[in-house]
Amino acid sequence: MGRVERVRAFCRVNFIPTMLALSPTDRVFVLTGAGVSAESGIQTFRGAGGLWRNYRIEEVASPRAWQRDPGLVWEFYSMRRRTAAAAKPNPAHFALARLESALQERLFLCTQNVDNLHEQAGSKNVVHMHGELFRSRCDTCNRSPFQDTNSYDPPGEPPRCECGGRIRPHICWFGEVPFELDRIFAALEICSVFMAVGTSGVVEPAASFVAHIAGHARTIYVGPEEPANASSFTECLLGRAGEVLPNLFGA
Ligand code: OAD
């Protein structure tokens, strides 16, 4: 069986989403990925125009890269800070903020994105499992992560902490453990609807969330193409997040 046939045997593909019917007791877990910010002008990582075509990921997003060349790492994240600072939330971010207003604590919004577009759209409780672009921390002492919107481009030296350590981006790099996994898995256990939006389904552990809850929740994917883990979803709604989500959640 070819990949697409196999996917379709499990995942019902739908191009015209209707409004999502939710009961007053439903608990909704939404996982967003780079695709939710694509219509805001922030490039996704994989696919056409993906970020890693210009930068090899291991050169810029791993503890090893940090040890080898912190200046290059900061150049990369400074570029990403500037791009994100210029971006504005799109209708997908606003639709999710409205969903939070309606569901309150029955919505758990977890993002792999490090931009702050969900917050700019009005979402109040966002779990950033891969960290936050506009926060930094010390790579040596245990001072808390702090807000930092600066750019640190070469030839300037990367910033230093009072303790002598280096200030690094507050980002989960490859080889590091994502943030808030206890809270995330607790929310997965009790959700009745799981929705992934704009994520290619290849980066763990997020790619396995849908398999983790399969059987006890309705599972929906939203994006223009089927993700790598499409066979784990019961429904795939094919389209751009900025068009699908406002229809799905209503005005
Ligand atoms: P990817 O770049 O892997 O996937 C983005 C997905 O968004 C693709 O499946 C696209 O089809 C989809 N997409 C594109 N435009 C869209 C739109 N308008 N609406 C909805 N979907 C759209 O991004 P992620 O899966 O988020 O980690 O990547 C996961 C992690 O890999 C990132 O958080 C990052 C990266 O390495 C770290 O930096 C630690």
Side-chain angles (χ1 to χ4, degrees):
M1 194 156 44
R3 181 176 171 272
V4 170
E5 286 170 78
R6 194 173 62 247
V7 162
R8 292 204 171 147
F10 294 92
C11 174
R12 191 156 49 83
V13 176
N14 193 346
F15 293 90
I16 310 165
T18 49
M19 228 171 110
L20 184 71
L22 293 174
S23 84
T25 56
D26 271 323
R27 288 186 169 272
V28 181
F29 188 116
V30 176
L31 169 71
T32 62
V36 83
S37 295
E39 289 157 76
S40 296
I42 299 182
Q43 276 189 352
T44 60
F45 296 94
R46 297 167 187 85
L51 208 50
W52 307 130
R53 298 224 167 139
N54 305 323
Y55 292 87
R56 283 200 297 130
I57 181 166
E58 64 275 15
E59 285 172 341
V60 287
S62 70
R64 218 160 137 221
W66 180 245
Q67 293 308 322
R68 198 173 42 225
D69 192 347
L72 179 71
V73 173
W74 264 124
E75 185 178 3
F76 173 69
Y77 283 101
S78 296
M79 177 272 287
R80 292 192 63 191
R81 280 184 176 181
R82 286 190 290 269
T83 305
K88 294 276 171 277
N90 68 56
H93 297 106
F94 287 114
L96 286 165
R98 284 197 304 275
L99 188 67
E100 184 188 63
S101 299
L103 299 185
Q104 302 287 320
E105 78 289 347
R106 290 191 294 118
L107 174 70
F108 190 90
L109 177 56
C110 174
T111 187
Q112 296 166 89
N113 298 344
V114 296
D115 64 53
N116 62 6
L117 295 179
H118 284 304
E119 287 88 347
Q120 277 195 52
S123 287
K124 296 199 169 45
N125 292 305
V126 187
V127 173
H128 284 270
M129 64 179 290
H130 287 168
E132 294 175 70
L133 199 48
F134 296 113
R135 286 165 81 80
S136 299
R137 69 175 194 262
C138 179
D139 72 355
T140 304
C141 73
N142 58 4
R143 102 186 239 200
S144 304
F146 56 93
Q147 199 184 353
D148 183 9
T149 55
N150 295 320
S151 291
Y152 303 105
D153 289 294
E157 277 293 305
R160 290 272 181 187
C161 178
E162 285 168 10
C163 79
R166 284 200 168 92
I167 298 297
R168 58 163 278 181
H170 184 52
I171 300 281
C172 170
W173 286 328
F174 282 83
E176 297 184 322
V177 180
F179 302 103
E180 309 235 42
L181 286 183
D182 288 349
R183 267 181 79 200
I184 290 169
F185 278 99
L188 286 169
E189 289 297 331
I190 58 169
C191 76
S192 53
V193 177
F194 173 86
M195 183 180 297
V197 184
T199 174
S200 55
V202 297
V203 173
E204 297 292 357
S208 293
F209 288 173
V210 60
H212 184 79
I213 47 101
H216 79 73
R218 184 177 167 193
T219 54
I220 303 163
Y221 179 77
V222 176
E225 60 200 359
E226 289 159 352
N229 57 355
S231 62
S232 297
F233 288 88
T234 45
E235 292 159 69
C236 287
L237 305 179
L238 295 188
R240 287 148 54 108
E243 289 159 11
V244 176
L245 293 192
N247 284 331
L248 214 51
F249 303 145

PDB file of all heavy atoms in Angstrom, residues 113-143:
ATOM      1  N   ASN A 113       5.979  26.519  18.861  1.00  0.00           N
ATOM      2  CA  ASN A 113       6.531  27.767  18.327  1.00  0.00           C
ATOM      3  C   ASN A 113       7.152  28.613  19.436  1.00  0.00           C
ATOM      4  O   ASN A 113       6.660  28.640  20.558  1.00  0.00           O
ATOM      5  CB  ASN A 113       5.445  28.576  17.614  1.00  0.00           C
ATOM      6  CG  ASN A 113       4.882  27.820  16.428  1.00  0.00           C
ATOM      7  OD1 ASN A 113       5.481  26.851  15.977  1.00  0.00           O
ATOM      8  ND2 ASN A 113       3.749  28.254  15.924  1.00  0.00           N
ATOM      9  N   VAL A 114       8.185  29.333  19.062  1.00  0.00           N
ATOM     10  CA  VAL A 114       8.873  30.166  20.039  1.00  0.00           C
ATOM     11  C   VAL A 114       8.511  31.643  19.872  1.00  0.00           C
ATOM     12  O   VAL A 114       8.951  32.482  20.638  1.00  0.00           O
ATOM     13  CB  VAL A 114      10.404  29.936  19.975  1.00  0.00           C
ATOM     14  CG1 VAL A 114      10.745  28.506  20.365  1.00  0.00           C
ATOM     15  CG2 VAL A 114      10.980  30.254  18.598  1.00  0.00           C
ATOM     16  N   ASP A 115       7.688  31.954  18.857  1.00  0.00           N
ATOM     17  CA  ASP A 115       7.207  33.337  18.716  1.00  0.00           C
ATOM     18  C   ASP A 115       6.105  33.589  19.750  1.00  0.00           C
ATOM     19  O   ASP A 115       5.683  32.677  20.467  1.00  0.00           O
ATOM     20  CB  ASP A 115       6.701  33.601  17.279  1.00  0.00           C
ATOM     21  CG  ASP A 115       5.482  32.743  16.910  1.00  0.00           C
ATOM     22  OD1 ASP A 115       4.494  32.756  17.661  1.00  0.00           O
ATOM     23  OD2 ASP A 115       5.516  32.050  15.873  1.00  0.00           O
ATOM     24  N   ASN A 116       5.630  34.861  19.834  1.00  0.00           N
ATOM     25  CA  ASN A 116       4.597  35.182  20.828  1.00  0.00           C
ATOM     26  C   ASN A 116       3.271  35.580  20.165  1.00  0.00           C
ATOM     27  O   ASN A 116       2.499  36.359  20.718  1.00  0.00           O
ATOM     28  CB  ASN A 116       5.087  36.284  21.784  1.00  0.00           C
ATOM     29  CG  ASN A 116       5.384  37.580  21.037  1.00  0.00           C
ATOM     30  OD1 ASN A 116       5.125  37.695  19.844  1.00  0.00           O
ATOM     31  ND2 ASN A 116       5.916  38.570  21.747  1.00  0.00           N
ATOM     32  N   LEU A 117       3.017  35.023  18.977  1.00  0.00           N
ATOM     33  CA  LEU A 117       1.822  35.446  18.229  1.00  0.00           C
ATOM     34  C   LEU A 117       0.529  34.973  18.879  1.00  0.00           C
ATOM     35  O   LEU A 117      -0.500  35.646  18.785  1.00  0.00           O
ATOM     36  CB  LEU A 117       1.920  34.989  16.775  1.00  0.00           C
ATOM     37  CG  LEU A 117       3.060  35.653  15.986  1.00  0.00           C
ATOM     38  CD1 LEU A 117       3.104  35.137  14.546  1.00  0.00           C
ATOM     39  CD2 LEU A 117       2.934  37.175  16.002  1.00  0.00           C
ATOM     40  N   HIS A 118       0.545  33.813  19.554  1.00  0.00           N
ATOM     41  CA  HIS A 118      -0.671  33.405  20.288  1.00  0.00           C
ATOM     42  C   HIS A 118      -0.998  34.453  21.358  1.00  0.00           C
ATOM     43  O   HIS A 118      -2.145  34.869  21.506  1.00  0.00           O
ATOM     44  CB  HIS A 118      -0.467  32.045  20.968  1.00  0.00           C
ATOM     45  CG  HIS A 118      -0.534  30.875  20.025  1.00  0.00           C
ATOM     46  ND1 HIS A 118      -1.615  30.633  19.215  1.00  0.00           N
ATOM     47  CD2 HIS A 118       0.340  29.855  19.794  1.00  0.00           C
ATOM     48  CE1 HIS A 118      -1.413  29.518  18.516  1.00  0.00           C
ATOM     49  NE2 HIS A 118      -0.237  29.042  18.840  1.00  0.00           N
ATOM     50  N   GLU A 119       0.009  34.877  22.109  1.00  0.00           N
ATOM     51  CA  GLU A 119      -0.220  35.870  23.167  1.00  0.00           C
ATOM     52  C   GLU A 119      -0.666  37.198  22.556  1.00  0.00           C
ATOM     53  O   GLU A 119      -1.582  37.849  23.066  1.00  0.00           O
ATOM     54  CB  GLU A 119       1.056  36.087  23.996  1.00  0.00           C
ATOM     55  CG  GLU A 119       1.401  34.941  24.930  1.00  0.00           C
ATOM     56  CD  GLU A 119       2.262  33.867  24.276  1.00  0.00           C
ATOM     57  OE1 GLU A 119       2.399  33.857  23.032  1.00  0.00           O
ATOM     58  OE2 GLU A 119       2.797  33.023  25.011  1.00  0.00           O
ATOM     59  N   GLN A 120      -0.024  37.596  21.452  1.00  0.00           N
ATOM     60  CA  GLN A 120      -0.427  38.865  20.804  1.00  0.00           C
ATOM     61  C   GLN A 120      -1.890  38.822  20.367  1.00  0.00           C
ATOM     62  O   GLN A 120      -2.568  39.847  20.340  1.00  0.00           O
ATOM     63  CB  GLN A 120       0.438  39.116  19.570  1.00  0.00           C
ATOM     64  CG  GLN A 120       1.769  39.757  19.855  1.00  0.00           C
ATOM     65  CD  GLN A 120       2.387  40.297  18.563  1.00  0.00           C
ATOM     66  OE1 GLN A 120       1.760  41.041  17.818  1.00  0.00           O
ATOM     67  NE2 GLN A 120       3.616  39.891  18.305  1.00  0.00           N
ATOM     68  N   ALA A 121      -2.374  37.622  20.010  1.00  0.00           N
ATOM     69  CA  ALA A 121      -3.773  37.501  19.575  1.00  0.00           C
ATOM     70  C   ALA A 121      -4.727  37.490  20.758  1.00  0.00           C
ATOM     71  O   ALA A 121      -5.937  37.564  20.580  1.00  0.00           O
ATOM     72  CB  ALA A 121      -3.948  36.222  18.753  1.00  0.00           C
ATOM     73  N   GLY A 122      -4.197  37.344  21.970  1.00  0.00           N
ATOM     74  CA  GLY A 122      -5.055  37.382  23.158  1.00  0.00           C
ATOM     75  C   GLY A 122      -5.090  36.102  23.964  1.00  0.00           C
ATOM     76  O   GLY A 122      -5.747  36.051  25.012  1.00  0.00           O
ATOM     77  N   SER A 123      -4.399  35.046  23.516  1.00  0.00           N
ATOM     78  CA  SER A 123      -4.354  33.817  24.322  1.00  0.00           C
ATOM     79  C   SER A 123      -3.601  34.110  25.618  1.00  0.00           C
ATOM     80  O   SER A 123      -2.530  34.723  25.594  1.00  0.00           O
ATOM     81  CB  SER A 123      -3.656  32.690  23.556  1.00  0.00           C
ATOM     82  OG  SER A 123      -4.492  32.212  22.527  1.00  0.00           O
ATOM     83  N   LYS A 124      -4.161  33.629  26.742  1.00  0.00           N
ATOM     84  CA  LYS A 124      -3.554  33.946  28.046  1.00  0.00           C
ATOM     85  C   LYS A 124      -2.732  32.789  28.595  1.00  0.00           C
ATOM     86  O   LYS A 124      -1.747  32.996  29.298  1.00  0.00           O
ATOM     87  CB  LYS A 124      -4.644  34.331  29.042  1.00  0.00           C
ATOM     88  CG  LYS A 124      -5.343  35.605  28.591  1.00  0.00           C
ATOM     89  CD  LYS A 124      -6.076  36.282  29.721  1.00  0.00           C
ATOM     90  CE  LYS A 124      -6.546  37.664  29.326  1.00  0.00           C
ATOM     91  NZ  LYS A 124      -7.163  37.730  27.989  1.00  0.00           N
ATOM     92  N   ASN A 125      -3.156  31.572  28.294  1.00  0.00           N
ATOM     93  CA  ASN A 125      -2.447  30.405  28.829  1.00  0.00           C
ATOM     94  C   ASN A 125      -1.863  29.584  27.690  1.00  0.00           C
ATOM     95  O   ASN A 125      -2.548  28.760  27.100  1.00  0.00           O
ATOM     96  CB  ASN A 125      -3.408  29.548  29.655  1.00  0.00           C
ATOM     97  CG  ASN A 125      -3.819  30.287  30.909  1.00  0.00           C
ATOM     98  OD1 ASN A 125      -2.969  30.716  31.687  1.00  0.00           O
ATOM     99  ND2 ASN A 125      -5.107  30.466  31.091  1.00  0.00           N
ATOM    100  N   VAL A 126      -0.599  29.851  27.385  1.00  0.00           N
ATOM    101  CA  VAL A 126       0.068  29.164  26.282  1.00  0.00           C
ATOM    102  C   VAL A 126       1.281  28.429  26.853  1.00  0.00           C
ATOM    103  O   VAL A 126       2.102  29.031  27.550  1.00  0.00           O
ATOM    104  CB  VAL A 126       0.548  30.165  25.204  1.00  0.00           C
ATOM    105  CG1 VAL A 126       1.087  29.414  23.985  1.00  0.00           C
ATOM    106  CG2 VAL A 126      -0.573  31.117  24.797  1.00  0.00           C
ATOM    107  N   VAL A 127       1.360  27.148  26.585  1.00  0.00           N
ATOM    108  CA  VAL A 127       2.523  26.372  27.026  1.00  0.00           C
ATOM    109  C   VAL A 127       3.508  26.290  25.859  1.00  0.00           C
ATOM    110  O   VAL A 127       3.212  25.704  24.818  1.00  0.00           O
ATOM    111  CB  VAL A 127       2.090  24.963  27.486  1.00  0.00           C
ATOM    112  CG1 VAL A 127       3.300  24.096  27.769  1.00  0.00           C
ATOM    113  CG2 VAL A 127       1.212  25.074  28.725  1.00  0.00           C
ATOM    114  N   HIS A 128       4.672  26.906  26.049  1.00  0.00           N
ATOM    115  CA  HIS A 128       5.703  26.917  24.997  1.00  0.00           C
ATOM    116  C   HIS A 128       6.680  25.773  25.256  1.00  0.00           C
ATOM    117  O   HIS A 128       7.672  25.956  25.952  1.00  0.00           O
ATOM    118  CB  HIS A 128       6.454  28.251  25.011  1.00  0.00           C
ATOM    119  CG  HIS A 128       5.696  29.400  24.416  1.00  0.00           C
ATOM    120  ND1 HIS A 128       5.775  29.730  23.076  1.00  0.00           N
ATOM    121  CD2 HIS A 128       4.835  30.280  24.971  1.00  0.00           C
ATOM    122  CE1 HIS A 128       4.996  30.783  22.840  1.00  0.00           C
ATOM    123  NE2 HIS A 128       4.413  31.133  23.970  1.00  0.00           N
ATOM    124  N   MET A 129       6.391  24.625  24.696  1.00  0.00           N
ATOM    125  CA  MET A 129       7.224  23.454  25.030  1.00  0.00           C
ATOM    126  C   MET A 129       8.648  23.557  24.467  1.00  0.00           C
ATOM    127  O   MET A 129       9.548  22.877  24.979  1.00  0.00           O
ATOM    128  CB  MET A 129       6.551  22.151  24.572  1.00  0.00           C
ATOM    129  CG  MET A 129       6.370  21.994  23.101  1.00  0.00           C
ATOM    130  SD  MET A 129       5.580  20.404  22.697  1.00  0.00           S
ATOM    131  CE  MET A 129       6.894  19.250  23.104  1.00  0.00           C
ATOM    132  N   HIS A 130       8.867  24.384  23.456  1.00  0.00           N
ATOM    133  CA  HIS A 130      10.218  24.552  22.903  1.00  0.00           C
ATOM    134  C   HIS A 130      10.850  25.887  23.295  1.00  0.00           C
ATOM    135  O   HIS A 130      11.827  26.317  22.691  1.00  0.00           O
ATOM    136  CB  HIS A 130      10.190  24.420  21.368  1.00  0.00           C
ATOM    137  CG  HIS A 130       9.976  23.010  20.905  1.00  0.00           C
ATOM    138  ND1 HIS A 130       9.685  22.675  19.603  1.00  0.00           N
ATOM    139  CD2 HIS A 130      10.019  21.836  21.589  1.00  0.00           C
ATOM    140  CE1 HIS A 130       9.558  21.358  19.498  1.00  0.00           C
ATOM    141  NE2 HIS A 130       9.741  20.828  20.687  1.00  0.00           N
ATOM    142  N   GLY A 131      10.260  26.537  24.297  1.00  0.00           N
ATOM    143  CA  GLY A 131      10.852  27.778  24.785  1.00  0.00           C
ATOM    144  C   GLY A 131      10.276  29.003  24.107  1.00  0.00           C
ATOM    145  O   GLY A 131       9.285  28.932  23.366  1.00  0.00           O
ATOM    146  N   GLU A 132      10.888  30.142  24.412  1.00  0.00           N
ATOM    147  CA  GLU A 132      10.367  31.430  23.930  1.00  0.00           C
ATOM    148  C   GLU A 132      11.508  32.277  23.378  1.00  0.00           C
ATOM    149  O   GLU A 132      12.534  32.463  24.035  1.00  0.00           O
ATOM    150  CB  GLU A 132       9.663  32.165  25.073  1.00  0.00           C
ATOM    151  CG  GLU A 132       8.408  31.456  25.541  1.00  0.00           C
ATOM    152  CD  GLU A 132       7.800  32.126  26.754  1.00  0.00           C
ATOM    153  OE1 GLU A 132       7.276  33.236  26.619  1.00  0.00           O
ATOM    154  OE2 GLU A 132       7.877  31.534  27.845  1.00  0.00           O
ATOM    155  N   LEU A 133      11.262  32.775  22.189  1.00  0.00           N
ATOM    156  CA  LEU A 133      12.279  33.539  21.463  1.00  0.00           C
ATOM    157  C   LEU A 133      12.694  34.813  22.198  1.00  0.00           C
ATOM    158  O   LEU A 133      13.854  35.220  22.136  1.00  0.00           O
ATOM    159  CB  LEU A 133      11.687  33.895  20.090  1.00  0.00           C
ATOM    160  CG  LEU A 133      12.597  34.308  18.949  1.00  0.00           C
ATOM    161  CD1 LEU A 133      13.778  33.372  18.788  1.00  0.00           C
ATOM    162  CD2 LEU A 133      11.768  34.361  17.673  1.00  0.00           C
ATOM    163  N   PHE A 134      11.753  35.433  22.904  1.00  0.00           N
ATOM    164  CA  PHE A 134      12.051  36.724  23.547  1.00  0.00           C
ATOM    165  C   PHE A 134      12.412  36.562  25.026  1.00  0.00           C
ATOM    166  O   PHE A 134      12.188  37.459  25.836  1.00  0.00           O
ATOM    167  CB  PHE A 134      10.885  37.698  23.351  1.00  0.00           C
ATOM    168  CG  PHE A 134      10.670  38.036  21.900  1.00  0.00           C
ATOM    169  CD1 PHE A 134       9.523  37.619  21.235  1.00  0.00           C
ATOM    170  CD2 PHE A 134      11.642  38.727  21.190  1.00  0.00           C
ATOM    171  CE1 PHE A 134       9.334  37.908  19.893  1.00  0.00           C
ATOM    172  CE2 PHE A 134      11.464  39.013  19.838  1.00  0.00           C
ATOM    173  CZ  PHE A 134      10.308  38.606  19.191  1.00  0.00           C
ATOM    174  N   ARG A 135      12.944  35.397  25.355  1.00  0.00           N
ATOM    175  CA  ARG A 135      13.484  35.178  26.699  1.00  0.00           C
ATOM    176  C   ARG A 135      14.883  34.580  26.558  1.00  0.00           C
ATOM    177  O   ARG A 135      15.182  33.878  25.587  1.00  0.00           O
ATOM    178  CB  ARG A 135      12.589  34.227  27.506  1.00  0.00           C
ATOM    179  CG  ARG A 135      11.310  34.906  27.956  1.00  0.00           C
ATOM    180  CD  ARG A 135      10.289  33.903  28.422  1.00  0.00           C
ATOM    181  NE  ARG A 135      10.514  33.451  29.779  1.00  0.00           N
ATOM    182  CZ  ARG A 135      10.169  34.129  30.860  1.00  0.00           C
ATOM    183  NH1 ARG A 135       9.603  35.317  30.744  1.00  0.00           N
ATOM    184  NH2 ARG A 135      10.368  33.646  32.054  1.00  0.00           N
ATOM    185  N   SER A 136      15.726  34.897  27.543  1.00  0.00           N
ATOM    186  CA  SER A 136      17.094  34.365  27.580  1.00  0.00           C
ATOM    187  C   SER A 136      17.356  33.829  28.973  1.00  0.00           C
ATOM    188  O   SER A 136      16.599  34.105  29.912  1.00  0.00           O
ATOM    189  CB  SER A 136      18.116  35.476  27.279  1.00  0.00           C
ATOM    190  OG  SER A 136      17.918  36.011  25.995  1.00  0.00           O
ATOM    191  N   ARG A 137      18.422  33.054  29.106  1.00  0.00           N
ATOM    192  CA  ARG A 137      18.828  32.590  30.437  1.00  0.00           C
ATOM    193  C   ARG A 137      20.339  32.372  30.437  1.00  0.00           C
ATOM    194  O   ARG A 137      20.974  32.417  29.373  1.00  0.00           O
ATOM    195  CB  ARG A 137      18.082  31.313  30.827  1.00  0.00           C
ATOM    196  CG  ARG A 137      18.445  30.076  30.031  1.00  0.00           C
ATOM    197  CD  ARG A 137      17.706  28.858  30.610  1.00  0.00           C
ATOM    198  NE  ARG A 137      18.235  27.598  30.130  1.00  0.00           N
ATOM    199  CZ  ARG A 137      17.714  26.901  29.132  1.00  0.00           C
ATOM    200  NH1 ARG A 137      16.663  27.366  28.474  1.00  0.00           N
ATOM    201  NH2 ARG A 137      18.248  25.752  28.773  1.00  0.00           N
ATOM    202  N   CYS A 138      20.890  32.144  31.633  1.00  0.00           N
ATOM    203  CA  CYS A 138      22.329  31.902  31.759  1.00  0.00           C
ATOM    204  C   CYS A 138      22.602  30.432  31.478  1.00  0.00           C
ATOM    205  O   CYS A 138      21.822  29.570  31.877  1.00  0.00           O
ATOM    206  CB  CYS A 138      22.805  32.285  33.152  1.00  0.00           C
ATOM    207  SG  CYS A 138      24.575  31.970  33.393  1.00  0.00           S
ATOM    208  N   ASP A 139      23.696  30.134  30.799  1.00  0.00           N
ATOM    209  CA  ASP A 139      24.016  28.717  30.536  1.00  0.00           C
ATOM    210  C   ASP A 139      24.782  28.084  31.693  1.00  0.00           C
ATOM    211  O   ASP A 139      25.148  26.911  31.623  1.00  0.00           O
ATOM    212  CB  ASP A 139      24.769  28.554  29.203  1.00  0.00           C
ATOM    213  CG  ASP A 139      26.221  29.061  29.249  1.00  0.00           C
ATOM    214  OD1 ASP A 139      26.643  29.626  30.285  1.00  0.00           O
ATOM    215  OD2 ASP A 139      26.924  28.881  28.237  1.00  0.00           O
ATOM    216  N   THR A 140      25.011  28.880  32.766  1.00  0.00           N
ATOM    217  CA  THR A 140      25.828  28.366  33.865  1.00  0.00           C
ATOM    218  C   THR A 140      25.090  28.400  35.205  1.00  0.00           C
ATOM    219  O   THR A 140      24.984  27.381  35.877  1.00  0.00           O
ATOM    220  CB  THR A 140      27.133  29.195  33.988  1.00  0.00           C
ATOM    221  OG1 THR A 140      27.792  29.154  32.727  1.00  0.00           O
ATOM    222  CG2 THR A 140      28.046  28.640  35.071  1.00  0.00           C
ATOM    223  N   CYS A 141      24.579  29.562  35.609  1.00  0.00           N
ATOM    224  CA  CYS A 141      23.936  29.649  36.927  1.00  0.00           C
ATOM    225  C   CYS A 141      22.432  29.414  36.797  1.00  0.00           C
ATOM    226  O   CYS A 141      21.904  29.291  35.689  1.00  0.00           O
ATOM    227  CB  CYS A 141      24.227  30.996  37.590  1.00  0.00           C
ATOM    228  SG  CYS A 141      23.352  32.395  36.874  1.00  0.00           S
ATOM    229  N   ASN A 142      21.738  29.353  37.946  1.00  0.00           N
ATOM    230  CA  ASN A 142      20.315  28.999  37.892  1.00  0.00           C
ATOM    231  C   ASN A 142      19.396  30.215  37.985  1.00  0.00           C
ATOM    232  O   ASN A 142      18.258  30.092  38.409  1.00  0.00           O
ATOM    233  CB  ASN A 142      19.968  27.957  38.965  1.00  0.00           C
ATOM    234  CG  ASN A 142      20.301  28.477  40.358  1.00  0.00           C
ATOM    235  OD1 ASN A 142      20.710  29.631  40.487  1.00  0.00           O
ATOM    236  ND2 ASN A 142      20.138  27.649  41.374  1.00  0.00           N
ATOM    237  N   ARG A 143      19.891  31.376  37.565  1.00  0.00           N
ATOM    238  CA  ARG A 143      19.018  32.560  37.531  1.00  0.00           C
ATOM    239  C   ARG A 143      17.854  32.268  36.577  1.00  0.00           C
ATOM    240  O   ARG A 143      18.007  31.547  35.585  1.00  0.00           O
ATOM    241  CB  ARG A 143      19.841  33.782  37.147  1.00  0.00           C
ATOM    242  CG  ARG A 143      19.706  34.258  35.719  1.00  0.00           C
ATOM    243  CD  ARG A 143      20.670  35.388  35.413  1.00  0.00           C
ATOM    244  NE  ARG A 143      19.949  36.566  34.980  1.00  0.00           N
ATOM    245  CZ  ARG A 143      20.533  37.561  34.295  1.00  0.00           C
ATOM    246  NH1 ARG A 143      21.824  37.535  34.016  1.00  0.00           N
ATOM    247  NH2 ARG A 143      19.841  38.599  33.931  1.00  0.00           N
TER     248      ARG A 143
END
